[in-house]
Structures are given as C-alpha cells and as structure tokens.
Amino acid sequence: MGEMMYKLFASASLLTLGLYHLICTFFHLLKSPQSYAAKPFYPFPRLSSVTGNNHHNHNRLQNLPLFILILSLFVAFLHETLISFYSDPLVKGSTPVHRFSSLNSAAVFFLFLIIAIYYLLSDSTSLIPLPSDLLFALASVGFFLHYSAASSSAAIQTSDLQAHCDSLSARISALCSLLCLLLACRSRLFIADAALAAAICLQGLWQLQTGLSLYVDGFIPEGCHRLLDVQSGVEGSTQCDIQDSKLRAVSILDLMFTVHVVLVVILIFVTYTMVVMAAGVRRTGSYEALPTNNADSNHIQMKSLTGTQA
C-alpha cells in the first residue's frame, strides 16, 4: 500500500507540473510569438492591482509551482533514502544491491532538488540567477542520470513486469534529457518545450499505471501474482510464472503505454484550445500572398495604370 500511495503522489505531482508548464508554454507563445523563449520555470502572472501588504503574498503565489516541485522532489528523495534501509531479498543480488540502487535514485532526486532550491533562492534573493540554457543543461544531466538509474533498477528486478515498467519509464526520462539538451542549445524551439511538458505528463500517467499494474490486485494481469518472501515477510511487486502469462502481461503494458501516449496527445489539443480561448486569440480570414518576383509585380502595376487611364 505504501508503494501505491507513493506512485499516486508522484503521478499527481508530475501531471500537475507538466500540465502547468504546457499551459504556460502555449500562453507565452500566443501572447508574444516574436519574443518567445523557453523557460525552465514559469511563475504565475503578476497582477497589476497588487500593492502594499499583498505584494509579498503575491510573490509567494508566483513561486507556488516551484514550491510544489521542491516538495515533490524532497518527498521522492526521502522515500528513496528510507527504503534503502529496508531489506529486499526479492531483487537480484538481494538487499545490498537494493540499497545501492535506491541510494542512486535518491542522489538523482537530490540533484534536481539542489537545482530547484537554487533557482528559488536566486529568484527571491540577491543571488546571481543561472541562465536558462545552463538550467536546461543541468536538467538534461539530471534526466539522463534518472534514465540510467531506472535502467539499472530494471536490470536487477526479478519481476519481469516491474522491469518492463522501469524500462519504459527510463525511456521517457531519456526523451526528457534530449529535449532539455535541445532547449539548452536553442531556447526558441517551441516544439521541444511543448514536448518536454507532454513527456512529463506522460511520466506522471505511467507512474500511475505502474502502481496499478504492480500493486493493486484488481489491475494485476491474469496469470500473475504478487511476490512474497516468506522468511522476511517482504512483499514485492507482480510476477508471472508462466511464459504465456508473462508475454501477455508485457503486451498489455505496451498497449497501456500507447494508450497513455494517445491521452497525452489529446491533452495537448484540449489544452491548446482552452489556452487560445482564454487568451482571446481569434482566427483571421484567409488571404492571398502578394507576388514576389518583379515580372508579376510589373504586370500588376501596368494593369492598374491601364485601368486608371481608362
């Protein structure tokens, strides 16, 4: 139950942050397309009517998404650190391997936590803020380390289903790392910024699916069961003993992953439509492009002069 609660928390945090970043990306592009540049963090917009005592409270409200990010990273770091002290004989190499694998994941979350805290301090104090391209580069390193940690975790799992879930999660982190690297090189690349937000939403949905498939009896594929070490009383994730059941369960996970990708694409369309409506952008009528070559231009001028003389 504890692992499922953590998966729910991780899913809610990632979905919230990813959707918020997606909304801000679309809104920023629609309001100022000429000066658009990707940002690692979008604060809440300032209110022109904020004065006096409300100014300090509004500054806190501006950084609310950053506070949520820091809280989520701290919980993730604390979770991985605490579970490293528990024995887990259900992984390859038993408890020592589990301990170092958990500490590796905790170190990755700690790196993200340091970056987020420094960004918050530099925004609210006199610290020199880091350039956006450097922040995206650091985020790219963090996502790559998370990809490496998730891949290593998948390699030591005795549960084929958990290994497959961790492997797909690692691929999403690898995609996020690549997108952050692109944004570090070209901050005006809107498609990379929107894709990064969508990938974070996909990671949130996949964390939810992982928790349901591994820890909730009603969602465990047919022919599979929960692992249990009788001597230590440690209960693990889901295992399929029969090869046919294993292949069927992996195919179901692949199908669900594709379904989540489709859901994220639909979320992009819905979010963009709602942002366009909220921003008050109206579609203009169609127009014909003016000719660019000299021959067509001279032809139009002569035709206009002929009509005038007539």
Side-chain angles (χ1 to χ4, degrees):
M1 181 60 69
E3 282 294 326
M4 184 60 205
M5 294 300 296
Y6 173 71
K7 292 295 184 183
L8 285 175
F9 175 80
S11 175
S13 300
L14 289 169
L15 278 173
T16 301
L17 294 171
L19 182 59
Y20 174 77
H21 192 89
L22 187 64
I23 293 173
C24 292
T25 299
F26 287 150
F27 188 81
H28 186 40
L29 176 70
L30 293 173
K31 296 299 288 186
S32 54
Q34 301 299 329
S35 61
Y36 171 81
K39 298 179 181 179
F41 167 72
Y42 291 95
F44 279 140
R46 294 182 180 273
L47 300 177
S48 58
S49 60
V50 175
T51 56
N53 296 330
N54 294 329
H55 181 72
H56 183 66
N57 293 332
H58 183 69
N59 286 338
R60 291 183 178 179
L61 182 62
Q62 274 194 307
N63 292 324
L64 180 61
L66 193 56
F67 289 139
I68 296 176
L69 174 61
I70 292 175
L71 175 62
S72 302
L73 290 172
F74 178 75
V75 171
F77 166 73
L78 190 63
H79 172 265
E80 294 295 335
T81 303
L82 289 178
I83 65 174
S84 67
F85 293 100
Y86 291 92
S87 61
D88 190 354
L90 298 177
V91 299
K92 298 176 182 178
S94 191
T95 300
V97 175
H98 160 73
R99 177 171 293 116
F100 288 114
S101 177
S102 299
L103 290 176
N104 186 21
S105 299
V108 174
F109 289 123
F110 185 68
L111 172 62
F112 278 111
L113 185 61
I114 291 176
I115 297 173
I117 291 177
Y118 185 88
Y119 188 92
L120 176 63
L121 293 177
S122 64
D123 186 63
S124 56
T125 62
S126 58
L127 289 177
I128 300 177
L130 292 175
S132 295
D133 53 354
L134 180 57
L135 285 172
F136 276 120
L138 292 175
S140 177
V141 173
F143 279 118
F144 181 80
L145 291 177
H146 186 268
Y147 156 75
S148 177
S151 299
S152 300
S153 177
I156 65 173
Q157 298 298 329
T158 55
S159 168
D160 296 306
L161 290 187
Q162 184 168 356
H164 194 64
C165 289
D166 291 344
S167 177
L168 291 176
S169 177
R171 295 177 188 179
I172 300 175
S173 296
L175 175 61
C176 291
S177 177
L178 176 61
L179 293 172
C180 286
L181 183 61
L182 290 175
L183 291 173
C185 299
R186 296 189 59 184
S187 61
R188 294 181 58 85
L189 197 58
F190 161 74
I191 188 64
D193 197 14
L196 176 61
I200 294 175
C201 291
L202 179 60
Q203 186 73 274
L205 289 175
W206 189 244
Q207 290 298 313
L208 176 61
Q209 183 63 49
T210 299
L212 293 175
S213 299
L214 298 181
Y215 304 109
V216 178
D217 294 335
F219 291 88
I220 293 178
E222 184 180 354
C224 305
H225 60 87
R226 296 286 300 276
L227 287 172
L228 177 64
D229 184 75
V230 179
Q231 294 182 352
S232 60
V234 175
E235 189 175 16
S237 57
T238 302
Q239 173 69 17
C240 304
D241 296 328
I242 304 176
Q243 183 68 17
D244 291 342
S245 299
K246 182 191 305 181
L247 295 176
R248 178 178 177 274
V250 170
S251 299
I252 292 175
L253 287 178
D254 290 335
L255 173 61
M256 294 308 301
F257 184 80
T258 304
V259 169
H260 288 310
V261 172
V262 174
L263 290 177
V264 170
V265 173
I266 295 175
L267 179 64
I268 292 174
F269 291 151
V270 173
T271 303
Y272 182 77
T273 303
M274 295 183 65
V275 171
V276 168
M277 295 174 61
V281 178
R282 295 291 182 268
R283 181 178 178 180
T284 58
S286 60
Y287 64 93
E288 295 181 359
L290 293 176
T292 55
N293 57 71
N294 294 331
D296 291 341
S297 179
N298 293 334
H299 175 72
I300 291 177
Q301 292 177 1
M302 292 298 296
K303 185 176 180 180
S304 177
L305 290 174
T306 303
T308 303
Q309 292 175 358

